[in-house]
Amino acid sequence: MDSLERMEIVAALEERFGGRFPEEVLPEMITCRQVVDAVERYLGGVERPATIRPAHYETPVEYYRFEAFPEYLKLREG
């Protein structure tokens, strides 16, 4: 895996288990066993309940459409 894929996995684990891995541990997490051990040691090994969006929730368009980003609109004004 490349470094971006590794960081995506780390971020997903931290979100799911509700914690942060120490920076010095990240390069040591190479095998699946090492990842499991790190989750148990640093994140407690207990999953948090998944966050569920309300049924009526709609993601604002400025979150995913470039032409609606506030920064882009401000830049266009200038």
Side-chain angles (χ1 to χ4, degrees):
M1 287 187 284
D2 65 24
S3 59
L4 180 58
E5 291 170 324
R6 287 174 51 93
M7 292 313 298
E8 288 174 347
I9 292 169
V10 165
L13 288 169
E14 290 176 338
E15 182 178 331
R16 187 66 177 154
F17 289 92
R20 301 278 297 164
F21 291 109
E23 291 293 323
E24 63 272 7
V25 174
L26 299 178
E28 300 170 3
M29 294 181 357
I30 299 170
T31 67
C32 291
R33 179 76 255 164
Q34 290 168 325
V35 172
V36 170
D37 290 343
V39 167
E40 290 173 348
R41 181 172 181 191
Y42 299 106
L43 305 183
V46 179
E47 293 182 46
R48 294 187 321 181
T51 304
I52 300 173
R53 292 186 191 143
H56 64 280
Y57 179 83
E58 288 188 35
T59 303
V61 70
E62 61 270 13
Y63 286 13
Y64 62 90
R65 295 292 305 242
F66 181 78
E67 65 272 9
F69 287 175
E71 296 87 352
Y72 175 74
L73 295 174
K74 188 172 182 172
L75 182 63
R76 287 199 42 114
E77 288 176 7

